[in-house]
Amino acid sequence: IVEDNQDDLALLVKTLNKYFNTILTATNGLEALKVYKEHEEIDIIISKIEMEKMNGIELLKSIRFSDLYLPFIIISSKNDSDILMEAVNLNVSSFIPKPLDIGKLLERIDIVCEKKYFEFRLKRKQEELNRYISSVDKVAVIFRLKRDGTITYMNDAMLDISGYTKDELGEINFNDLIHPDIPKKVIDESWIELEDGKIWRGNTKFKSKKDKTFYLNNTIFKSIDEEDEYITIA
């Protein structure tokens, strides 16, 4: 909280203590910038505009050099359109006029923090997904291919069993891997299912770079990230 009026600062601290575990305070922008640099885990900044040494807009501008999205709520007794436009251009989260309406401030904080919470949940889910993918990659045989059959990725297990190297990716075609005993009709029918967005499962006979036969129990599906890419996990 950045506020040079001690009564307003005390009111804000007393009110927001119920919502935040830790509240850091400053009485001007320069002091606030120092506090910001010393604490990495700041979730939101609430700042008055009119202050000595460094005002709220100058503080916001300084913070945007290092963080474009940190929630920043401005409190001001002036309704200056030029100042507000500059704050908007600096991605201010909200503007609260004085005299301060605590109910409105809490409402804006709820909105900002809810968005930050969902962003946090999304980040955690992505981290969880990455850990899952990493775990699968260690225990399964995985490769990716384009619709024309070009192999774009093989994990270490697939490289090992097929005898190819990472340097050869992009030059290998699915036809180099699939065993000639597999009828073309079966392959064509599989592609039809995959192009329709269906998941194909089955045992398939393959051949390595040195023409050694191996079998994989495959699950093949269309990638949601790349339109023309298919993923095999076996």
Side-chain angles (χ1 to χ4, degrees):
I1 302 173
V2 193
E3 172 63 73
D4 59 358
N5 182 296
Q6 291 301 320
D7 291 336
D8 288 347
L9 180 61
L11 175 62
L12 286 168
V13 170
K14 181 179 179 181
T15 302
L16 298 180
N17 258 329
K18 302 172 185 177
Y19 295 87
F20 295 94
N21 292 327
T22 303
I23 295 180
L24 306 170
T25 63
T27 56
N28 61 67
L30 200 59
E31 185 182 331
L33 187 60
K34 183 174 182 293
V35 171
Y36 167 75
K37 290 178 178 179
E38 291 173 351
H39 298 81
E40 296 182 358
E41 299 300 322
I42 290 179
D43 295 310
I44 185 171
I45 294 176
I46 302 168
S47 175
K48 182 181 177 180
I49 286 185
E50 306 87 5
M51 295 177 294
E52 295 182 359
K53 295 185 180 180
M54 177 186 281
N55 65 37
I57 294 296
E58 291 168 336
L59 172 62
L60 174 58
K61 188 181 296 183
S62 296
I63 286 174
R64 287 297 178 248
F65 280 118
S66 59
D67 193 328
L68 292 173
Y69 304 106
L70 179 66
F72 197 111
I73 294 177
I74 278 180
I75 299 172
S76 177
S77 57
K78 294 182 180 180
N79 191 9
D80 189 314
S81 59
D82 290 337
I83 291 177
L84 291 179
M85 184 57 67
E86 186 175 6
V88 169
N89 290 335
L90 290 168
N91 196 27
V92 71
S93 304
S94 190
F95 174 84
I96 307 290
K98 281 193 173 186
L100 187 60
D101 184 331
I102 292 295
K104 182 174 289 186
L105 174 62
L106 294 177
E107 180 183 309
R108 300 293 173 82
I109 289 174
D110 280 343
I111 292 171
V112 169
C113 289
E114 183 179 37
K115 180 182 178 183
K116 193 172 180 66
Y117 171 72
F118 281 120
E119 289 173 349
F120 170 76
R121 287 289 302 275
L122 182 61
K123 182 181 178 182
R124 289 291 296 274
K125 286 292 183 183
Q126 186 61 50
E127 290 172 352
E128 183 181 337
L129 178 60
N130 289 339
R131 287 196 298 270
Y132 173 75
I133 291 173
S134 177
S135 299
V136 171
D137 193 55
K138 293 175 182 177
V139 299
V141 174
I142 302 172
F143 65 92
R144 292 172 177 256
L145 68 157
K146 297 289 187 181
R147 177 59 185 90
D148 64 4
T150 302
I151 306 295
T152 59
Y153 170 81
M154 288 183 179
N155 72 344
D156 290 341
M158 185 61 185
L159 289 169
D160 183 56
I161 198 172
S162 67
Y164 289 99
T165 65
K166 288 183 179 180
D167 293 337
E168 294 173 293
L169 294 176
E171 300 174 3
I172 314 165
N173 194 279
F174 185 67
N175 292 327
D176 299 322
L177 288 173
I178 197 73
H179 199 280
D181 287 352
I182 305 296
K184 184 177 181 303
K185 181 182 177 182
V186 173
I187 298 173
D188 291 341
E189 289 174 351
S190 301
W191 275 117
I192 291 172
E193 288 188 36
L194 289 169
E195 288 177 329
D196 285 343
K198 297 177 182 177
I199 296 175
W200 188 91
R201 295 183 178 89
N203 292 311
T204 308
K205 189 176 183 180
F206 290 93
K207 63 185 179 71
S208 71
K209 184 178 180 179
K210 295 183 178 180
D211 288 328
K212 291 184 177 180
T213 300
F214 63 94
Y215 295 85
L216 293 178
N217 185 7
N218 302 285
T219 297
I220 309 175
F221 53 91
K222 196 170 187 178
S223 170
I224 59 173
D225 298 323
E226 298 289 339
E227 185 177 349
D228 185 38
E229 191 169 64
Y230 299 82
I231 302 170
T232 297
I233 299 178

